[in-house]
Amino acid sequence: MKKLVIVDDNIFLQKTILEKLAFFEDINCKFTANDGKELLQKLETNHNIDLILMDIEMAEMNGIEATFQVKSKYPHIKIIMLTVFDNDENIFNAIKAGADGYLLKDVNPKELYDGIIETLNGGAAMNPSIAFKTLKLLRNPIDFENRTEQEDIKLTPREIDVLEQLSKGLTYTVIADNLILSPSTIRRHIENIYTKLQVHSKLEAVQKAKNNNLI
């Protein structure tokens, strides 16, 4: 029986992952945690764990810091990053922190299971797109730690307000109510934000805004 832990600050996504793993009788989720801090507290009393499925973006302690801490204290535990973000910096930092694999959350149950088994057997589970980015990083290393240049992105104060609301996972209607604007106005602002940031989704917009210290 493979003993797993799921770390994610989104309870719905925790349940989704559990549902994917429910197909496989040799997988046992010992516990879940909402962030890296809670994970470390729970591991103090039970670190007889084979593998952790780790989210990256979490409030208390993010997945990359948690991975570093877990690998320092419990090197026997394998860690697969399970995230929606596949940008180069996250991949680089996760691998540097000691991650054993990197999968995206839209992975299907069989691919997730195969990735877990592969990692427990000493391999490295990765989506094809992640593997490609990793090879690219190895061929052309980027010094993320000393990179000071940021893109010159000009957003209006109102667009930043909308982005901050988006980052909280709020719907267009709720954002419109909070900012005392119409939903159609919010939609226009978001279209402008996507154009200026050169992204195609809410997750990409929020991540790029964070990377450039816009929110």
Side-chain angles (χ1 to χ4, degrees), residues 175-205:
I175 294 172
D177 289 342
N178 289 346
L179 299 180
I180 318 174
L181 297 168
S182 70
S184 61
T185 301
I186 296 299
R187 238 176 241 105
R188 273 200 308 276
H189 279 310
I190 291 172
E191 286 171 6
N192 291 337
I193 289 167
Y194 283 12
T195 300
K196 290 180 179 180
L197 295 180
Q198 297 182 319
V199 297
H200 305 285
S201 72
K202 179 178 72 173
L203 289 172
E204 286 181 313

mmCIF file of all heavy atoms in Angstrom, residues 175-205:
data_model
loop_
_atom_site.group_PDB
_atom_site.id
_atom_site.type_symbol
_atom_site.label_atom_id
_atom_site.label_comp_id
_atom_site.label_asym_id
_atom_site.label_seq_id
_atom_site.Cartn_x
_atom_site.Cartn_y
_atom_site.Cartn_z
ATOM 1 N N ILE A 175 -17.063 40.590 -8.576
ATOM 2 C CA ILE A 175 -16.090 41.672 -8.758
ATOM 3 C C ILE A 175 -16.819 42.965 -9.122
ATOM 4 O O ILE A 175 -16.504 44.040 -8.605
ATOM 5 C CB ILE A 175 -15.061 41.305 -9.857
ATOM 6 C CG1 ILE A 175 -14.205 40.122 -9.403
ATOM 7 C CG2 ILE A 175 -14.164 42.507 -10.185
ATOM 8 C CD1 ILE A 175 -13.284 39.570 -10.488
ATOM 9 N N ALA A 176 -17.804 42.854 -9.999
ATOM 10 C CA ALA A 176 -18.592 44.030 -10.403
ATOM 11 C C ALA A 176 -19.276 44.656 -9.196
ATOM 12 O O ALA A 176 -19.261 45.883 -9.024
ATOM 13 C CB ALA A 176 -19.625 43.629 -11.453
ATOM 14 N N ASP A 177 -19.855 43.824 -8.341
ATOM 15 C CA ASP A 177 -20.515 44.332 -7.125
ATOM 16 C C ASP A 177 -19.512 45.002 -6.197
ATOM 17 O O ASP A 177 -19.760 46.083 -5.660
ATOM 18 C CB ASP A 177 -21.217 43.189 -6.385
ATOM 19 C CG ASP A 177 -22.456 42.693 -7.125
ATOM 20 O OD1 ASP A 177 -22.952 43.434 -7.996
ATOM 21 O OD2 ASP A 177 -22.907 41.571 -6.835
ATOM 22 N N ASN A 178 -18.358 44.347 -6.016
ATOM 23 C CA ASN A 178 -17.338 44.880 -5.092
ATOM 24 C C ASN A 178 -16.793 46.221 -5.565
ATOM 25 O O ASN A 178 -16.481 47.100 -4.750
ATOM 26 C CB ASN A 178 -16.186 43.887 -4.937
ATOM 27 C CG ASN A 178 -16.584 42.657 -4.146
ATOM 28 O OD1 ASN A 178 -17.626 42.646 -3.487
ATOM 29 N ND2 ASN A 178 -15.758 41.622 -4.190
ATOM 30 N N LEU A 179 -16.638 46.373 -6.884
ATOM 31 C CA LEU A 179 -16.042 47.594 -7.429
ATOM 32 C C LEU A 179 -17.101 48.601 -7.920
ATOM 33 O O LEU A 179 -16.751 49.652 -8.468
ATOM 34 C CB LEU A 179 -15.090 47.242 -8.582
ATOM 35 C CG LEU A 179 -13.895 46.344 -8.217
ATOM 36 C CD1 LEU A 179 -13.032 46.069 -9.438
ATOM 37 C CD2 LEU A 179 -13.042 46.970 -7.105
ATOM 38 N N ILE A 180 -18.366 48.245 -7.686
ATOM 39 C CA ILE A 180 -19.505 49.103 -8.084
ATOM 40 C C ILE A 180 -19.409 49.436 -9.577
ATOM 41 O O ILE A 180 -19.433 50.594 -10.000
ATOM 42 C CB ILE A 180 -19.581 50.391 -7.217
ATOM 43 C CG1 ILE A 180 -19.303 50.061 -5.755
ATOM 44 C CG2 ILE A 180 -20.953 51.049 -7.348
ATOM 45 C CD1 ILE A 180 -19.219 51.255 -4.854
ATOM 46 N N LEU A 181 -19.253 48.371 -10.378
ATOM 47 C CA LEU A 181 -19.209 48.488 -11.836
ATOM 48 C C LEU A 181 -20.154 47.444 -12.431
ATOM 49 O O LEU A 181 -20.603 46.532 -11.733
ATOM 50 C CB LEU A 181 -17.784 48.252 -12.354
ATOM 51 C CG LEU A 181 -16.702 49.246 -11.917
ATOM 52 C CD1 LEU A 181 -15.327 48.700 -12.283
ATOM 53 C CD2 LEU A 181 -16.928 50.605 -12.568
ATOM 54 N N SER A 182 -20.427 47.549 -13.703
ATOM 55 C CA SER A 182 -21.268 46.550 -14.354
ATOM 56 C C SER A 182 -20.414 45.351 -14.782
ATOM 57 O O SER A 182 -19.213 45.510 -15.044
ATOM 58 C CB SER A 182 -21.949 47.151 -15.588
ATOM 59 O OG SER A 182 -20.990 47.390 -16.598
ATOM 60 N N PRO A 183 -21.014 44.162 -14.866
ATOM 61 C CA PRO A 183 -20.259 42.980 -15.326
ATOM 62 C C PRO A 183 -19.632 43.189 -16.696
ATOM 63 O O PRO A 183 -18.529 42.695 -16.957
ATOM 64 C CB PRO A 183 -21.323 41.870 -15.359
ATOM 65 C CG PRO A 183 -22.314 42.285 -14.322
ATOM 66 C CD PRO A 183 -22.378 43.781 -14.406
ATOM 67 N N SER A 184 -20.304 43.902 -17.588
ATOM 68 C CA SER A 184 -19.743 44.133 -18.929
ATOM 69 C C SER A 184 -18.487 45.009 -18.851
ATOM 70 O O SER A 184 -17.529 44.816 -19.607
ATOM 71 C CB SER A 184 -20.786 44.788 -19.840
ATOM 72 O OG SER A 184 -21.184 46.041 -19.329
ATOM 73 N N THR A 185 -18.480 45.965 -17.910
ATOM 74 C CA THR A 185 -17.285 46.802 -17.715
ATOM 75 C C THR A 185 -16.129 45.957 -17.186
ATOM 76 O O THR A 185 -14.981 46.110 -17.624
ATOM 77 C CB THR A 185 -17.578 47.957 -16.738
ATOM 78 O OG1 THR A 185 -18.646 48.742 -17.262
ATOM 79 C CG2 THR A 185 -16.355 48.837 -16.539
ATOM 80 N N ILE A 186 -16.441 45.058 -16.254
ATOM 81 C CA ILE A 186 -15.412 44.151 -15.721
ATOM 82 C C ILE A 186 -14.837 43.303 -16.852
ATOM 83 O O ILE A 186 -13.626 43.113 -16.957
ATOM 84 C CB ILE A 186 -16.002 43.239 -14.617
ATOM 85 C CG1 ILE A 186 -16.455 44.062 -13.410
ATOM 86 C CG2 ILE A 186 -14.980 42.180 -14.194
ATOM 87 C CD1 ILE A 186 -15.353 44.857 -12.732
ATOM 88 N N ARG A 187 -15.732 42.822 -17.738
ATOM 89 C CA ARG A 187 -15.278 42.006 -18.866
ATOM 90 C C ARG A 187 -14.318 42.777 -19.761
ATOM 91 O O ARG A 187 -13.310 42.243 -20.222
ATOM 92 C CB ARG A 187 -16.500 41.535 -19.657
ATOM 93 C CG ARG A 187 -16.580 40.015 -19.752
ATOM 94 C CD ARG A 187 -17.827 39.507 -20.437
ATOM 95 N NE ARG A 187 -18.624 38.678 -19.547
ATOM 96 C CZ ARG A 187 -19.745 39.072 -18.971
ATOM 97 N NH1 ARG A 187 -20.207 40.261 -19.186
ATOM 98 N NH2 ARG A 187 -20.393 38.268 -18.179
ATOM 99 N N ARG A 188 -14.649 44.044 -20.007
ATOM 100 C CA ARG A 188 -13.773 44.885 -20.845
ATOM 101 C C ARG A 188 -12.418 45.079 -20.187
ATOM 102 O O ARG A 188 -11.377 45.024 -20.840
ATOM 103 C CB ARG A 188 -14.446 46.244 -21.106
ATOM 104 C CG ARG A 188 -15.369 46.253 -22.308
ATOM 105 C CD ARG A 188 -15.640 47.663 -22.832
ATOM 106 N NE ARG A 188 -16.096 48.566 -21.788
ATOM 107 C CZ ARG A 188 -17.351 48.669 -21.382
ATOM 108 N NH1 ARG A 188 -18.274 47.896 -21.909
ATOM 109 N NH2 ARG A 188 -17.687 49.537 -20.436
ATOM 110 N N HIS A 189 -12.433 45.336 -18.874
ATOM 111 C CA HIS A 189 -11.170 45.499 -18.148
ATOM 112 C C HIS A 189 -10.321 44.228 -18.267
ATOM 113 O O HIS A 189 -9.104 44.293 -18.485
ATOM 114 C CB HIS A 189 -11.435 45.793 -16.666
ATOM 115 C CG HIS A 189 -11.781 47.215 -16.375
ATOM 116 N ND1 HIS A 189 -11.024 48.276 -16.833
ATOM 117 C CD2 HIS A 189 -12.795 47.765 -15.646
ATOM 118 C CE1 HIS A 189 -11.556 49.415 -16.415
ATOM 119 N NE2 HIS A 189 -12.634 49.136 -15.694
ATOM 120 N N ILE A 190 -10.969 43.078 -18.118
ATOM 121 C CA ILE A 190 -10.231 41.808 -18.174
ATOM 122 C C ILE A 190 -9.671 41.560 -19.574
ATOM 123 O O ILE A 190 -8.532 41.087 -19.721
ATOM 124 C CB ILE A 190 -11.131 40.646 -17.703
ATOM 125 C CG1 ILE A 190 -11.388 40.793 -16.196
ATOM 126 C CG2 ILE A 190 -10.488 39.292 -18.011
ATOM 127 C CD1 ILE A 190 -12.400 39.850 -15.626
ATOM 128 N N GLU A 191 -10.432 41.912 -20.598
ATOM 129 C CA GLU A 191 -9.925 41.793 -21.970
ATOM 130 C C GLU A 191 -8.684 42.665 -22.163
ATOM 131 O O GLU A 191 -7.689 42.238 -22.773
ATOM 132 C CB GLU A 191 -11.012 42.206 -22.959
ATOM 133 C CG GLU A 191 -12.124 41.174 -23.123
ATOM 134 C CD GLU A 191 -13.291 41.702 -23.952
ATOM 135 O OE1 GLU A 191 -13.170 42.835 -24.480
ATOM 136 O OE2 GLU A 191 -14.305 40.996 -24.061
ATOM 137 N N ASN A 192 -8.734 43.886 -21.616
ATOM 138 C CA ASN A 192 -7.573 44.792 -21.705
ATOM 139 C C ASN A 192 -6.377 44.229 -20.949
ATOM 140 O O ASN A 192 -5.225 44.325 -21.410
ATOM 141 C CB ASN A 192 -7.929 46.178 -21.162
ATOM 142 C CG ASN A 192 -8.904 46.921 -22.057
ATOM 143 O OD1 ASN A 192 -9.000 46.632 -23.246
ATOM 144 N ND2 ASN A 192 -9.643 47.863 -21.492
ATOM 145 N N ILE A 193 -6.655 43.653 -19.773
ATOM 146 C CA ILE A 193 -5.585 43.060 -18.957
ATOM 147 C C ILE A 193 -4.919 41.917 -19.721
ATOM 148 O O ILE A 193 -3.689 41.824 -19.788
ATOM 149 C CB ILE A 193 -6.151 42.560 -17.606
ATOM 150 C CG1 ILE A 193 -6.529 43.753 -16.719
ATOM 151 C CG2 ILE A 193 -5.130 41.670 -16.887
ATOM 152 C CD1 ILE A 193 -7.374 43.377 -15.518
ATOM 153 N N TYR A 194 -5.743 41.027 -20.320
ATOM 154 C CA TYR A 194 -5.197 39.905 -21.082
ATOM 155 C C TYR A 194 -4.304 40.404 -22.217
ATOM 156 O O TYR A 194 -3.229 39.837 -22.471
ATOM 157 C CB TYR A 194 -6.327 39.055 -21.677
ATOM 158 C CG TYR A 194 -7.019 38.132 -20.703
ATOM 159 C CD1 TYR A 194 -6.816 38.233 -19.331
ATOM 160 C CD2 TYR A 194 -7.890 37.141 -21.151
ATOM 161 C CE1 TYR A 194 -7.460 37.388 -18.447
ATOM 162 C CE2 TYR A 194 -8.543 36.279 -20.274
ATOM 163 C CZ TYR A 194 -8.327 36.414 -18.923
ATOM 164 O OH TYR A 194 -8.961 35.573 -18.052
ATOM 165 N N THR A 195 -4.761 41.459 -22.893
ATOM 166 C CA THR A 195 -4.000 42.003 -24.021
ATOM 167 C C THR A 195 -2.658 42.569 -23.545
ATOM 168 O O THR A 195 -1.603 42.297 -24.134
ATOM 169 C CB THR A 195 -4.807 43.107 -24.736
ATOM 170 O OG1 THR A 195 -6.026 42.539 -25.218
ATOM 171 C CG2 THR A 195 -4.027 43.687 -25.908
ATOM 172 N N LYS A 196 -2.698 43.357 -22.475
ATOM 173 C CA LYS A 196 -1.469 43.995 -21.975
ATOM 174 C C LYS A 196 -0.484 42.968 -21.409
ATOM 175 O O LYS A 196 0.732 43.112 -21.559
ATOM 176 C CB LYS A 196 -1.820 45.029 -20.899
ATOM 177 C CG LYS A 196 -2.525 46.271 -21.447
ATOM 178 C CD LYS A 196 -2.834 47.252 -20.332
ATOM 179 C CE LYS A 196 -3.522 48.506 -20.874
ATOM 180 N NZ LYS A 196 -3.819 49.479 -19.791
ATOM 181 N N LEU A 197 -1.022 41.939 -20.751
ATOM 182 C CA LEU A 197 -0.142 40.921 -20.162
ATOM 183 C C LEU A 197 0.235 39.834 -21.169
ATOM 184 O O LEU A 197 1.105 39.014 -20.888
ATOM 185 C CB LEU A 197 -0.824 40.270 -18.954
ATOM 186 C CG LEU A 197 -1.108 41.165 -17.742
ATOM 187 C CD1 LEU A 197 -1.773 40.357 -16.642
ATOM 188 C CD2 LEU A 197 0.167 41.795 -17.210
ATOM 189 N N GLN A 198 -0.451 39.828 -22.317
ATOM 190 C CA GLN A 198 -0.221 38.805 -23.351
ATOM 191 C C GLN A 198 -0.466 37.403 -22.801
ATOM 192 O O GLN A 198 0.373 36.504 -22.913
ATOM 193 C CB GLN A 198 1.196 38.925 -23.928
ATOM 194 C CG GLN A 198 1.437 40.253 -24.647
ATOM 195 C CD GLN A 198 2.823 40.331 -25.257
ATOM 196 O OE1 GLN A 198 3.805 39.911 -24.667
ATOM 197 N NE2 GLN A 198 2.892 40.871 -26.459
ATOM 198 N N VAL A 199 -1.648 37.241 -22.179
ATOM 199 C CA VAL A 199 -2.048 35.945 -21.621
ATOM 200 C C VAL A 199 -3.427 35.587 -22.168
ATOM 201 O O VAL A 199 -4.091 36.399 -22.804
ATOM 202 C CB VAL A 199 -2.072 35.977 -20.079
ATOM 203 C CG1 VAL A 199 -0.680 36.248 -19.527
ATOM 204 C CG2 VAL A 199 -3.065 37.037 -19.563
ATOM 205 N N HIS A 200 -3.854 34.352 -21.858
ATOM 206 C CA HIS A 200 -5.122 33.874 -22.409
ATOM 207 C C HIS A 200 -6.047 33.295 -21.349
ATOM 208 O O HIS A 200 -7.095 32.744 -21.682
ATOM 209 C CB HIS A 200 -4.867 32.808 -23.482
ATOM 210 C CG HIS A 200 -3.951 33.278 -24.568
ATOM 211 N ND1 HIS A 200 -4.352 34.157 -25.555
ATOM 212 C CD2 HIS A 200 -2.636 33.017 -24.807
ATOM 213 C CE1 HIS A 200 -3.326 34.406 -26.361
ATOM 214 N NE2 HIS A 200 -2.285 33.731 -25.930
ATOM 215 N N SER A 201 -5.664 33.395 -20.071
ATOM 216 C CA SER A 201 -6.523 32.849 -19.024
ATOM 217 C C SER A 201 -6.339 33.633 -17.739
ATOM 218 O O SER A 201 -5.344 34.353 -17.561
ATOM 219 C CB SER A 201 -6.203 31.374 -18.762
ATOM 220 O OG SER A 201 -4.951 31.259 -18.099
ATOM 221 N N LYS A 202 -7.285 33.454 -16.840
ATOM 222 C CA LYS A 202 -7.240 34.126 -15.541
ATOM 223 C C LYS A 202 -6.001 33.700 -14.751
ATOM 224 O O LYS A 202 -5.308 34.533 -14.169
ATOM 225 C CB LYS A 202 -8.515 33.786 -14.749
ATOM 226 C CG LYS A 202 -8.565 34.400 -13.367
ATOM 227 C CD LYS A 202 -9.871 34.075 -12.668
ATOM 228 C CE LYS A 202 -9.920 32.631 -12.241
ATOM 229 N NZ LYS A 202 -11.112 32.320 -11.423
ATOM 230 N N LEU A 203 -5.723 32.393 -14.750
ATOM 231 C CA LEU A 203 -4.572 31.884 -13.986
ATOM 232 C C LEU A 203 -3.266 32.485 -14.498
ATOM 233 O O LEU A 203 -2.401 32.876 -13.718
ATOM 234 C CB LEU A 203 -4.517 30.360 -14.057
ATOM 235 C CG LEU A 203 -5.609 29.619 -13.271
ATOM 236 C CD1 LEU A 203 -5.565 28.136 -13.576
ATOM 237 C CD2 LEU A 203 -5.442 29.866 -11.787
ATOM 238 N N GLU A 204 -3.130 32.540 -15.830
ATOM 239 C CA GLU A 204 -1.918 33.128 -16.412
ATOM 240 C C GLU A 204 -1.803 34.603 -16.055
ATOM 241 O O GLU A 204 -0.712 35.099 -15.736
ATOM 242 C CB GLU A 204 -1.945 32.983 -17.937
ATOM 243 C CG GLU A 204 -1.682 31.584 -18.449
ATOM 244 C CD GLU A 204 -1.708 31.525 -19.968
ATOM 245 O OE1 GLU A 204 -2.648 32.077 -20.579
ATOM 246 O OE2 GLU A 204 -0.792 30.941 -20.539
ATOM 247 N N ALA A 205 -2.934 35.310 -16.088
ATOM 248 C CA ALA A 205 -2.930 36.747 -15.777
ATOM 249 C C ALA A 205 -2.485 36.991 -14.344
ATOM 250 O O ALA A 205 -1.636 37.851 -14.075
ATOM 251 C CB ALA A 205 -4.323 37.336 -16.017
#
